[in-house]
Amino acid sequence: MATQPPLTGLKVLEFQGLAPGPFAGLLLADAGASVLRIDRAPTPGDPSPPASDLLTRHKSSIAVNLKDPAGIALIHRLASHADVLIDPYRPGVLEKLGLGPTPLLAANPRLIYARLTGFRRDGRFAAMAGHDINYLAVSGALALLGRKSQPPTPPGNLLGDFAGGGAMLVQGVLLALLAREKSGRGQVVEANMVDGAGYLASFPRFARRTPAWDRPRGENLLDTGCPWYEAYETADRGWMAVGALEERFFAELVKGLGLQGQGWERGRWDRKRWPELRGVLERTFRSRTREEWEAVFEGTDACCTPIYGYEELEGDKSGRLEGEQRPPVTLRETPLLAVKKDARDASQGQGEGVEGEGHVGYPLEAGQGGEERLKEWFGWSKGEEFEVKNGGLVLNADGKAKL
């Protein structure tokens, strides 16, 4: 019998941000943590609406007046009994508000103060603005990505923001929570997307000194340089992914494509013939539809699979495409929260699932569900422990907030 998700009871304060910070909060929330997002109270006359954040599953929000000392006092009081605080801002932003790690850890020595930046906090770019492409650029990872004779190609913002940023920050939080079990004390956790992306690129960085990746971008085994590790278009403009690296897998690919007897099994490592082999594979895959090739290779070890788009995964009602959204890991005894509505076992998570089932995200409005969350956490009520001033929550002036 499955019990509660593993982070049930963990209180997380997430300062409003974009992409990596909210993703870190989402990972914690999906694992059962109670996540309260802190939004800035709207400034009168400010024409720019708050940026839309769709990574809001299972979260609540409060809007806090950070220009009012009573608003800062409210956050101090919340942080004094929180387990984790997520700071997604540039170095020094929260410190200027009096919300840096020094005062908050002094008030709550068990707090995990998790800070996420794009560039290194101690590097030459620390004070500069940047985005995913910039962090990958200075980490060295971006130079690896792309086709031969083409510019470096960023993989959306997956590698920096989400893998190297938000997910790495959560790894740090979990490590700090483990350390707290031994020491009883929290600590500052610092992650940045430069180091995160660079760490994720450990294998290709090491492989640059081996034949697997010692050539320029787009000419290596795993970066589209090799014809049997590539995507190929089909007759109906679909795509098949080929990853037949090992000899026996390549033999299965050749067999499925009907190319036996042409010597490719013996001559595939002759790089001079790679352009010819690529041409053969391109023509062969274009001779049938994706569905036809899917039927040929399903159940084989050819490492040849269809490339699905999210639009068809979302529309799949049979479950055959394995496109339903699931938690990133399966914990058999304490599953994470379900994403899909009809989750059936631990691999799909637990609970009722969510609207959109992982294909549609919904904005969390500033203040949405926050007062209920404060009631749940501390038994607080508006007019008692806190009040609303200039569109944001502040600590009640008579100091009645008790924890």
Side-chain angles (χ1 to χ4, degrees), residues 30 33 63 99 109-110 165 169 182 184 188 202 206 228 292 329 358 384 397:
D30 279 344
L99 297 172
R110 289 179 57 81
L169 184 70
K182 300 177 182 179
V188 177
S202 293
F206 297 155
W228 58 86
E292 290 173 323
V329 295
E384 296 291 328

Side-chain angles (χ1 to χ4, degrees), residues 290 307-317 321 323 359:
R290 193 192 72 179
I307 297 177
Y308 295 134
Y310 279 123
E311 63 282 353
E312 58 186 314
L313 292 176
E314 183 179 1
D316 176 44
K317 303 303 180 184
L321 301 187
H359 288 287

Side-chain angles (χ1 to χ4, degrees), residues 246-268:
E246 289 79 6
E247 181 177 347
R248 63 191 181 91
F249 298 159
F250 184 77
E252 286 288 315
L253 176 70
V254 169
K255 177 182 176 183
L257 293 173
L259 299 177
Q260 308 101 308
Q262 299 182 22
W264 291 117
E265 296 90 336
R266 296 186 305 277
R268 69 173 179 140

Side-chain angles (χ1 to χ4, degrees), residues 112-296:
I112 309 298
Y113 195 107
R115 304 198 285 188
L116 177 62
T117 57
F119 297 115
R120 290 175 174 169
R121 302 181 72 88
D122 60 350
R124 58 182 286 212
F125 306 109
M128 294 172 52
H131 279 295
D132 190 287
I133 189 172
N134 307 114
Y135 312 137
L136 297 190
V138 302
S139 76
L142 184 57
L144 298 171
L145 307 176
R147 293 186 175 275
K148 179 180 178 180
S149 303
Q150 295 294 316
T153 305
N157 63 336
L158 297 177
L159 182 53
D161 281 349
F162 298 113
M168 284 291 185
L169 184 70
V170 168
Q171 177 175 307
V173 167
L174 297 179
L175 292 172
L177 288 170
L178 283 173
R180 191 176 75 174
E181 289 295 308
K182 300 177 182 179
S183 69
R185 299 184 63 84
Q187 60 182 297
V188 177
V189 174
E190 294 182 345
N192 69 78
M193 286 166 252
V194 173
D195 288 337
Y199 195 89
L200 290 166
S202 293
F203 171 75
R205 190 170 64 250
F206 297 155
R208 289 179 57 250
R209 290 169 172 78
T210 75
W213 216 308
D214 62 352
R215 293 172 179 262
R217 178 176 60 253
E219 298 183 25
N220 300 286
L221 190 64
L222 303 178
D223 65 355
T224 73
C226 172
W228 58 86
Y229 200 89
E230 180 62 285
Y232 289 99
E233 189 177 19
T234 60
D236 57 345
R237 296 190 176 181
W239 293 89
M240 295 293 289
V242 173
L245 294 174
E246 289 79 6
E247 181 177 347
R248 63 191 181 91
F249 298 159
F250 184 77
E252 286 288 315
L253 176 70
V254 169
K255 177 182 176 183
L257 293 173
L259 299 177
Q260 308 101 308
Q262 299 182 22
W264 291 117
E265 296 90 336
R266 296 186 305 277
R268 69 173 179 140
W269 288 109
D270 183 353
R271 282 181 173 266
K272 294 180 180 179
R273 298 193 67 191
W274 278 11
E276 179 187 358
L277 176 55
R278 187 182 300 272
V280 169
L281 295 177
E282 288 174 345
R283 290 189 296 274
T284 304
F285 274 108
R286 287 199 186 106
S287 69
R288 298 188 187 184
T289 67
R290 193 192 72 179
E291 184 177 357
E292 290 173 323
W293 286 122
E294 192 172 351
V296 168

